[in-house]
Amino acid sequence: MLKAEALILLVNSLTKSEKKSFKTVSKPSDYLDLFDLIEKNRDIAIEELRYQFSEKKPKSNFDITCSYLYKLLLDTLLSLR
């Protein structure tokens, strides 16, 4: 499973309170924009997500942002438990 696929599954499995907690801790950045894209389009394909992200943030690297967002989400979930 690709990191982007795992990220989409993780974001879609978060509860409202977990999403709120993550957003309150996060500062406006590339990874928060990626999170919003996934949250708004629950059934988005990886290619479409990559395209939308590159349109919104042309200077950012999609794969690195996915990895960083995945790590931050896991850290947030662990801190909530």
Side-chain angles (χ1 to χ4, degrees), residues 25-50:
V25 175
S26 302
K27 299 175 185 172
S29 63
D30 295 345
Y31 64 86
L32 194 55
D33 291 334
L34 181 60
F35 180 84
D36 290 335
L37 283 173
I38 297 170
E39 188 179 27
K40 289 177 186 172
N41 305 311
R42 291 185 59 86
D43 298 326
I44 194 165
I46 296 171
E47 297 81 21
E48 180 64 25
L49 180 62
R50 184 183 298 270

Side-chain angles (χ1 to χ4, degrees), residues 34-81:
L34 181 60
F35 180 84
D36 290 335
L37 283 173
I38 297 170
E39 188 179 27
K40 289 177 186 172
N41 305 311
R42 291 185 59 86
D43 298 326
I44 194 165
I46 296 171
E47 297 81 21
E48 180 64 25
L49 180 62
R50 184 183 298 270
Y51 174 76
Q52 286 183 12
F53 182 74
S54 65
E55 287 289 313
K56 194 169 190 176
K57 299 287 186 174
K59 294 184 179 182
S60 297
N61 186 311
F62 177 75
D63 295 322
I64 292 173
T65 306
C66 278
S67 296
Y68 188 67
L69 176 57
Y70 190 82
K71 179 191 170 305
L72 285 177
L73 285 171
L74 289 180
D75 289 345
T76 301
L77 290 173
L78 286 173
S79 69
L80 290 174
R81 304 284 171 200

Side-chain angles (χ1 to χ4, degrees), residues 4-41:
E5 289 176 352
L7 179 62
I8 292 170
L9 289 173
L10 179 61
V11 170
N12 288 333
S13 70
L14 295 174
T15 64
K16 265 187 170 179
S17 62
E18 291 168 339
K19 288 178 183 178
K20 183 179 179 183
S21 176
F22 174 72
K23 284 187 172 188
T24 57
V25 175
S26 302
K27 299 175 185 172
S29 63
D30 295 345
Y31 64 86
L32 194 55
D33 291 334
L34 181 60
F35 180 84
D36 290 335
L37 283 173
I38 297 170
E39 188 179 27
K40 289 177 186 172
N41 305 311

